[in-house]
Amino acid sequence: MPAQAEDELIVADQKGQQKALLEAAGAAKDLPYHIRWVEFEAAAPLLQALGARAVDTGIAGDGPFLFAWGSGLPIKAAWVIPPRGAGSATAIVGAAGSPISSPANLSGKRIATGRGSVGHLLLLRLLAIGAIPAPAPHIVFLLPAQAKAALDTNRVDAWSTWEPYISLAVISGHGHIITDAAGLMPNNSFFVANTDALARKKLILADFYRRMTTAYNWGTRHQTDYSHILARQTGLPEDVAISVAQKLIAVPAPVTPDVIQAEKEVLDTYKSAGFITRKDDLSDAFEQNLTH
């Protein structure tokens, strides 16, 4: 690959998960460019940084990606990570001891989530199919650390969130799963890049996605090894890291027309709720011609 040593790829990460996987798999060896990792708490600020060209690429769930794209950010999804946990990596968590045990119990309750997050998308889907009856819950938009504190102090009744926060809450005994996203949405994640990086660093991005695909393949065969390294690098408890590895390790692949068609449901959900008005064709949100 004709990349120079001084070339740099700025990669956004969440909870150190991608860096841990790449290094555990040995897929970062002999890099002809430098990777600078930047840590984010959630997909929303990660995507804002992508749109501002502060980072080149990063992973986000389909919900926050399309929410950000729909707001006009110059970003595209270039590689898909299909769901491994059948939607269990997104869930609504109730506090330990809470009597809330089903979506129907969420009527009129206060639920924390991130604006435009996969947790937000899950709530919108539950409302759209009538699983949460009237009156609608009051959605409180908070970042994960704030949402956790709000749930722990009973300032909200539930938290619609994602991994590793689900496993952190449940395994620690501080929460229980009320419902998850299985069967309700595509549950894809994507490697997302800004359009400037796709134009200037296309070959580097293609090489990075190839290496991450190698790393994910390794992770599917060595989940225990990966979870040990994830725990060490991120500070997650070992049992939480094992749970996260089981739910999140799948094999990435290039975006296909079938993937784009499946994501129309996500876009339509946000549009129906009044959160997205962008009129561009959905295919404009995806990069299908990345050389690898």
Side-chain angles (χ1 to χ4, degrees):
M1 177 183 143
Q4 303 301 314
E6 65 268 25
D7 287 331
E8 180 178 67
L9 191 67
I10 308 172
V11 181
D13 206 355
Q14 293 186 62
K15 284 288 185 184
Q17 295 177 62
Q18 307 311 312
K19 181 180 180 181
L21 183 58
L22 191 70
E23 293 183 354
K29 292 179 180 177
D30 302 319
L31 275 171
Y33 50 89
H34 176 256
I35 296 177
R36 175 153 57 97
W37 297 93
V38 183
E39 186 72 17
F40 290 87
E41 184 182 2
L46 182 157
L47 290 160
Q48 288 294 326
L50 271 174
R53 301 178 182 175
V55 296
D56 296 318
T57 189
I59 284 184
D62 52 4
F65 160 63
L66 285 173
F67 190 91
W69 175 83
S71 74
L73 291 186
I75 56 176
K76 290 191 175 189
W79 219 253
V80 62
I81 307 171
R84 175 183 173 83
S88 62
T90 305
I92 300 178
V93 176
S98 166
I100 300 174
S101 60
S102 72
N105 301 146
L106 294 170
S107 173
K109 297 295 192 293
R110 290 173 59 83
I111 307 175
T113 196
R115 182 179 176 86
S117 68
V118 286
H120 188 192
L121 178 63
L122 173 55
L123 283 173
L124 293 178
R125 290 291 300 142
L126 289 168
L127 287 166
I129 65 173
I132 303 176
H138 176 62
I139 301 176
V140 183
F141 292 123
L142 298 171
L143 286 171
Q146 299 167 318
K148 180 184 183 304
L151 185 67
D152 289 346
T153 55
N154 298 313
R155 286 180 285 132
V156 296
D157 301 293
W159 177 18
S160 193
T161 188
W162 53 91
E163 290 294 354
Y165 303 109
I166 298 166
S167 293
L168 275 167
V170 173
I171 292 174
S172 69
H174 292 160
H176 67 276
I177 294 173
I178 296 168
T179 190
D180 64 28
L184 289 174
M185 47 205 211
N187 296 298
N188 289 317
S189 293
F190 293 100
F191 283 104
V192 182
N194 62 55
T195 53
D196 182 65
L198 282 166
R200 294 191 303 108
K201 302 182 180 181
K202 193 168 188 177
L203 290 176
I204 296 177
L205 285 168
D207 180 77
F208 174 71
Y209 299 149
R210 178 184 61 77
R211 289 172 185 270
M212 287 304 309
T213 299
T214 298
Y216 271 83
N217 267 305
W218 176 89
T220 62
R221 302 189 305 272
H222 302 88
Q223 286 189 24
T224 301
D225 293 335
Y226 165 56
S227 63
H228 290 330
I229 292 169
L230 181 63
R232 187 167 69 246
Q233 288 201 353
T234 65
L236 289 172
E238 191 80 28
D239 49 0
V240 171
I242 291 170
S243 176
V244 170
Q246 290 172 344
K247 291 182 181 180
L248 294 186
I249 292 295
V251 181
V255 170
T256 64
D258 286 345
V259 169
I260 297 173
Q261 181 60 33
E263 292 301 327
K264 187 176 184 300
E265 180 181 56
V266 174
L267 188 65
D268 289 345
T269 298
Y270 280 134
K271 283 186 172 180
S272 296
F275 285 100
I276 290 179
T277 57
R278 185 169 178 168
K279 298 293 194 292
D280 299 41
D281 190 272
L282 179 59
S283 62
D284 292 343
F286 298 88
E287 174 60 60
Q288 298 183 72
N289 300 306
L290 198 64
T291 303
H292 70 285

